[in-house]
Amino acid sequence: MARPQYSSIISLIGPPGSGKGTYGALLASRFLGASFLSVGDILRESSAKNETLSSVMKSGSLVDDLLVNDAVIQSLENRVCTKLKNGAGKNVVILDGFPRNYAQASLLAKWPVGLRPSLAVQFDVPDDICITKLLGRRKCSICNDSLNVNGVDIGGFDMPPILPEAGTCKVTCNPGVDWEKRDDDTADTIQVRMNIYHDETKPVLKYWEERGQLLRFVPFKGVKDMDELESLVESRFCERTD
């Protein structure tokens, strides 16, 4: 992908199971010098240096929007400044998980201009498909590969199961024993997460749409549609530099 002619932060939005983390990491790999940052990783890293944040996260409570905001800004500033010092020039950061609600979105107006997201990509995937994929997630305890035993073929979506290719594993694993499922990947827990997403995210989508900065993407074929996503994002960059 051609490198954009200015620095840009791209915010990712999508329900649990939409695959935005996977798409974000792949998208970052297609930009020269781009970075992929998830808010979860930022908070875990920041908590090692911030006792207040660390105690909140250890308690299991929701992290205050201001604490999240400050941690994200600090991480972005460090990332951008480091690249500039290393002569990387203008760069792209793919940000997964911020803003998550309208309160966080409203704080963006106070951000340094160079760090404000210039584009938000919405991964528009129906709830039933996200739930099916979440319930199928597995992790092989032997080879550490991420798998998915559930396939989707409905409503134009075509996402086959993600299974080990024959001959790629050094050890023959037992799917019933070695393929582990996350404790929180249950139907009830997933539905709660879906409800929270819809309650908190609709206002965020409106925020980006009103500013003409929302790009809607429907990954009908999953990661096979990465070329299309790349093209859409690149065209939006070109629009802003014309």
Side-chain angles (χ1 to χ4, degrees):
M1 173 183 272
R3 185 174 181 175
Q5 298 302 307
Y6 59 94
S7 299
S8 183
I9 314 295
I10 301 175
S11 176
L12 305 184
I13 305 171
S18 63
K20 62 184 173 62
T22 298
Y23 299 123
L26 290 172
L27 186 61
S29 71
R30 297 190 178 206
F31 281 97
L32 179 61
S35 303
F36 174 72
L37 294 176
S38 75
V39 170
D41 289 340
I42 290 174
L43 292 178
R44 282 186 285 274
E45 180 180 329
S46 300
S47 64
K49 308 171 186 176
N50 186 317
E51 292 185 4
T52 301
L53 178 58
S54 177
S55 62
V56 172
M57 293 184 69
K58 287 179 180 178
S59 71
S61 302
L62 290 176
V63 181
D64 179 79
D65 289 327
L66 286 174
L67 282 176
V68 177
N69 179 76
D70 292 345
V72 173
I73 288 180
Q74 187 62 56
S75 180
L76 289 173
E77 285 181 336
N78 291 342
R79 180 78 51 150
V80 172
C81 288
T82 297
K83 286 198 170 187
L84 291 176
K85 288 179 180 178
N86 293 334
K90 298 177 181 179
N91 57 88
V92 174
V93 177
I94 313 293
L95 180 61
D96 176 12
F98 192 95
R100 192 178 296 274
N101 55 46
Y102 189 80
Q104 292 179 357
S106 65
L107 293 170
L108 293 175
K110 300 178 181 179
W111 279 31
V113 175
L115 293 182
R116 296 176 191 171
S118 59
L119 180 67
V121 179
Q122 175 198 4
F123 293 93
D124 191 1
V125 183
D127 285 8
D128 58 339
I129 292 176
C130 290
I131 292 172
T132 296
K133 297 302 288 183
L134 286 171
L135 290 174
R137 289 198 299 193
R138 300 291 188 273
K139 190 87 167 181
C140 181
S141 61
I142 296 179
C143 59
N144 205 38
D145 281 351
S146 294
L147 310 167
N148 201 302
V149 299
N150 288 346
V152 171
D153 184 9
I154 187 173
F157 285 86
D158 181 14
M159 301 177 181
I162 302 174
L163 304 173
E165 294 183 15
T168 58
C169 290
K170 295 180 180 179
V171 181
T172 301
C173 54
N174 183 337
V177 176
D178 302 317
W179 292 4
E180 299 173 344
K181 183 178 180 179
R182 280 174 43 167
D183 292 339
D184 59 345
D185 278 349
T186 65
D188 290 342
T189 302
I190 290 171
Q191 189 59 59
V192 170
R193 291 165 60 196
M194 284 292 179
N195 293 341
I196 292 174
Y197 167 78
H198 288 297
D199 290 342
E200 294 188 351
T201 305
K202 283 184 179 178
V204 177
L205 293 175
K206 184 178 179 182
Y207 171 91
W208 291 120
E209 193 168 25
E210 289 175 344
R211 288 160 177 76
Q213 294 174 300
L214 182 65
L215 171 63
R216 177 176 172 268
F217 177 65
V218 184
F220 285 108
K221 297 186 181 298
V223 295
K224 292 181 180 179
D225 283 340
M226 277 304 304
D227 286 345
E228 180 184 352
L229 175 60
E230 176 185 347
S231 178
L232 289 171
V233 172
E234 190 172 34
S235 66
R236 290 297 291 267
F237 279 145
C238 292
E239 286 176 8
R240 299 179 71 83
T241 56
D242 287 342

